[in-house]
Amino acid sequence: MDIKFNKNEDSNKLLVSELKRKLAKVHLGGGEKKIEKLHSKGKLTARERIDYLVDSMDSFLEVGAFTADGMYEEWGGCPSAGVVTGIGYVSGRQCVVVANDATVKAGAWFPMTAKKNLRAQEIAIENKLPIIYLVDSAGVFLPMQDEVFPDKEHFGRQFRNNAKMSSEGIIQIAAIMGSCVAGGAYLPIMSDEAMIVDKTGSIFLAGSYLVKAAIGEDVDNETLGGASTHCEISGVTDNKYPGDKECLDAIKRIFDRVGDNDKAGFNRIESKPPKEDQANIYGKFPNDRNAPYNMLDIIHCLVDDSEFEQYKEHYGQTIVCGYGRVDGWSVGIVANQRTVVKTKKGEMQMGGVIYSDSADKSARFIMNCNQRKIPLVFLHDVNGFMVGSRSEHGGIIKDGAKMVNAVSNSVVPKFSIVMGSSYGAGNYAMCGKAYDPRLIYAWPNAQIAVMSGKSAAKTLLQIKVSAMKSQGKEISEEDQQKMLDEIKAGYDAKLSPYYAASQLWVDGVIDPLETRKVISTGIEAANNAPIEKSMNVGVIQT
């Protein structure tokens, strides 16, 4: 191996090591003392419940592990937004699982908790997957109720989704394993089956203190809304169980009897590992986002048997399009090429930039995949569309619009992996969050923004210096450099993939070696939802 490979490998492995350290901290939720307190009540933690419920944690794909990372610090933080969500298998059936983490502010709902819960429901709805709620929550975090309760995409939207999913035949099972209060009480009861754990589970619109304040009645919480009350008197819950494990066992039995769905029919054959060692991604993918590399080297580490058939190989070469398989699934791949390309006309095209010809090629490829019912995988490392008079005169906006139109109207499931840069309109054309990828994950080297930190800082500095000069102020070169460094530092902090993950712009940050798992899990989920309409791209000018 050459020295460049070794440097890349060292750099990427350090980033993966940092990722694993951050995940280990997140997995502790509210901390070891809170975990011990939960155990002393005979309860499992949210992650322990999922571990016991699913067939294997190796095949569990967590969604939103870093949600709310670095947020709500004035309240002590809210790791993973106080809820654990993901896609796993229960009795062999693929499901979405949502588990409140009672070690984090008693499982209370912060603004990002609502956003994350709605994302989990969105995955279930899009893919027609059953969803399991493991409820253990104190309800809305009252100091922030104005950011959680009233708006369209806030707390109440989940109950609307409950109703919509029931109407669409999507199975919803809820287990009340701790507190379930106020408006949150509707979630399990709007599910198809609601079970409750005796002595630790409780459900009511108002707790004993509020009942006393509101109507003067003295009643304890167990009598008010415990398992016996709701299984024997009110009929609100269906069955009670003596402990967490017994309740989770009941959920396993439910899914052991569930019939199969109609399938979308995506093509799959026997899975084969790549011939190229997947770990070579570490050495072939540069940490320096200005360094050129051949995207085909990365693709060969990801696709089955390292077999990849290019579409229009010698045209529009700053985007690679082609067909391959991931874990047996047939996929169409759209990936930014980072090498400098020399065209047949002798022109040099910068890697990582979308030109008119590459946008045109991609649009046509996306339409082909839709016609053939082949899921799409987008591998992002893009600086944006080419700018300048030559590109504008050549109609870059028109050709870029073709690609964005094709991505927007695609009906086959789309999956995005942000490997490196994902800047400006390039993010849109490559199926960024706004374009409904079924799943979108980032590598530890990823950056999502309008432009790079360096470019943005220079632009912002020019604006600031110009404003100061218009006020008659002079600024030295030294002060300008200091201002540039400060602007860049602030901008760069929001370029981090962990920042993107905290906002749920991406579903998570992953080790590059998990990429095949993400894509395969996503396509298997999507295969549960038959495609009911054909692609209509509207008017695309030629």
Side-chain angles (χ1 to χ4, degrees):
M1 298 295 182
D2 60 25
I3 190 165
K4 184 169 69 172
F5 183 100
N6 290 334
K7 284 184 176 179
N8 289 340
E9 185 177 46
D10 289 345
S11 178
N12 283 309
K13 284 186 175 180
L14 280 173
L15 289 173
V16 170
S17 177
E18 180 188 17
L19 166 63
K20 291 178 178 178
R21 179 184 61 78
K22 285 177 174 288
L23 279 172
K25 184 177 180 181
V26 162
H27 288 176
L28 286 175
E32 292 180 352
K33 288 185 178 179
K34 293 288 180 68
I35 292 172
E36 289 174 9
K37 185 176 180 181
L38 208 64
H39 286 166
S40 69
K41 297 177 181 178
K43 297 168 67 174
L44 301 174
T45 67
R47 292 184 182 278
E48 287 168 343
R49 286 167 178 164
I50 292 174
D51 189 12
Y52 186 85
L53 175 67
V54 300
D55 298 344
S56 169
M57 284 302 290
D58 290 339
S59 57
F60 182 76
L61 178 64
E62 185 165 356
V63 174
F66 291 110
T67 307
D69 183 50
M71 299 171 69
Y72 314 125
E73 294 298 329
E74 67 272 37
W75 306 107
C78 187
S80 246
V83 61
V84 184
T85 62
I87 304 171
Y89 298 84
V90 177
S91 299
R93 182 65 177 258
Q94 200 174 34
C95 306
V96 174
V97 183
V98 177
N100 298 115
D101 187 349
T103 70
V104 180
K105 295 290 184 293
W109 283 60
F110 285 73
M112 289 305 297
T113 315
K115 187 172 182 179
K116 184 172 176 180
N117 274 265
L118 291 175
R119 174 61 179 141
Q121 289 184 323
E122 179 183 44
I123 291 171
I125 292 168
E126 284 184 325
N127 299 293
K128 308 294 185 190
L129 287 180
I131 185 166
I132 300 166
Y133 307 102
L134 306 181
V135 183
D136 195 346
S137 172
V140 169
F141 185 64
L142 291 178
M144 304 188 77
Q145 65 84 25
D146 60 317
E147 297 179 52
V148 182
F149 176 72
D151 210 347
K152 181 179 178 180
E153 299 297 330
H154 282 178
F155 186 70
R157 187 74 171 183
Q158 66 172 334
F159 312 132
R160 175 263 188 194
N161 287 349
N162 283 146
K164 287 288 186 180
M165 282 190 275
S166 286
S167 72
E168 294 177 17
I170 297 171
I171 298 169
Q172 299 176 84
I173 304 296
I176 301 154
M177 312 185 82
S179 297
C180 184
V181 300
Y186 287 104
L187 183 142
I189 307 312
M190 292 187 73
S191 298
D192 301 303
E193 188 161 344
M195 47 195 65
I196 188 168
V197 178
D198 197 17
K199 301 298 186 286
T200 56
S202 59
I203 179 169
F204 32 67
L205 294 181
S208 56
Y209 293 123
L210 183 54
V211 167
K212 174 67 175 176
I215 64 173
E217 180 185 0
D218 282 309
V219 61
D220 62 88
N221 281 338
E222 184 65 24
T223 303
L224 185 65
S228 295
T229 294
H230 286 311
C231 286
E232 300 170 20
I233 301 173
S234 72
V236 166
T237 52
D238 298 307
N239 285 297
K240 64 178 179 179
Y241 300 90
D244 282 8
K245 289 184 177 181
E246 290 85 354
C247 187
L248 297 169
D249 285 335
I251 297 175
K252 293 180 186 182
R253 290 193 296 272
I254 288 172
F255 284 98
D256 190 42
R257 303 184 183 106
V258 171
D260 207 356
N261 285 353
D262 292 337
K263 300 298 181 185
F266 302 125
N267 184 275
R268 190 182 199 184
I269 62 174
E270 183 181 353
S271 175
K272 294 180 181 179
K275 283 183 179 176
E276 183 79 29
D277 187 351
Q278 289 185 72
N280 284 345
I281 289 175
Y282 295 140
K284 293 184 176 183
F285 185 70
N287 191 30
D288 178 1
R289 61 193 63 252
N290 294 315
Y293 66 93
N294 191 339
M295 177 59 80
L296 291 171
D297 290 340
I298 306 299
I299 291 173
H300 289 148
C301 293
L302 296 175
V303 295
D304 289 15
D305 221 21
S306 298
E307 290 184 353
F308 181 68
E309 182 179 346
Q310 286 201 64
Y311 170 79
K312 288 183 179 282
E313 179 179 353
H314 302 293
Y315 177 74
Q317 294 178 72
T318 62
I319 287 186
V320 172
C321 297
Y323 305 99
R325 291 186 181 274
V326 174
D327 195 24
W329 294 105
S330 173
V331 297
I333 295 175
V334 180
N336 304 111
Q337 179 58 282
R338 295 296 300 200
T339 59
V340 176
V341 174
K342 186 175 182 180
T343 69
K344 292 290 184 182
K345 297 179 181 178
E347 301 167 340
M348 303 303 290
Q349 294 185 341
M350 293 188 297
V353 176
I354 303 175
Y355 289 78
S356 286
D357 54 358
S358 50
D360 176 70
K361 177 175 84 170
S362 301
R364 293 175 184 274
F365 178 73
I366 290 166
M367 287 188 280
N368 283 354
C369 287
N370 273 266
Q371 184 186 52
R372 301 170 193 180
K373 207 156 72 170
I374 299 174
L376 285 158
V377 175
F378 293 83
L379 303 178
H380 296 223
D381 198 354
V382 59
N383 292 335
F385 284 87
M386 190 58 190
V387 297
S389 61
R390 188 169 187 173
S391 291
E392 298 293 358
H393 295 169
I396 185 66
I397 296 175
K398 176 187 68 177
D399 290 315
K402 289 181 190 178
M403 185 175 177
V404 171
N405 196 325
V407 171
S408 302
N409 286 289
S410 175
V411 296
V412 295
K414 306 180 294 272
F415 303 91
S416 283
I417 305 294
V418 185
M419 299 164 47
S421 304
S422 190
Y423 297 151
N427 171 270
Y428 297 164
M430 291 295 293
C431 194
K433 180 70 171 179
Y435 292 81
D436 298 322
R438 295 291 178 98
L439 294 172
I440 176 169
Y441 280 81
W443 288 4
N445 197 35
Q447 291 187 350
I448 300 173
V450 171
M451 61 183 74
S452 70
K454 185 177 180 181
S455 297
K458 286 182 177 179
T459 303
L460 292 168
L461 178 65
Q462 288 173 8
I463 294 169
K464 195 168 185 177
V465 169
S466 178
M468 292 176 72
K469 286 182 176 179
S470 69
Q471 297 169 5
K473 298 177 182 178
E474 292 296 324
I475 180 168
S476 66
E477 290 290 329
E478 183 180 344
D479 286 340
Q480 284 192 44
Q481 184 59 50
K482 184 178 178 181
M483 287 169 59
L484 180 66
D485 292 342
E486 289 175 354
I487 292 169
K488 187 174 183 300
Y491 193 89
D492 282 348
K494 294 184 178 181
L495 290 179
S496 161
Y498 298 103
Y499 183 81
S502 75
Q503 306 294 319
L504 262 182
W505 299 344
V506 296
D507 292 316
V509 183
I510 57 168
D511 181 337
L513 301 190
E514 292 183 278
T515 303
R516 280 171 55 86
K517 174 185 174 180
V518 168
I519 296 168
S520 178
T521 300
I523 298 176
E524 184 169 351
N527 200 39
N528 289 287
I531 297 172
E532 297 174 350
K533 60 181 179 178
S534 59
M535 182 180 185
N536 184 353
V537 295
V539 178
I540 293 188
Q541 294 175 315
T542 57

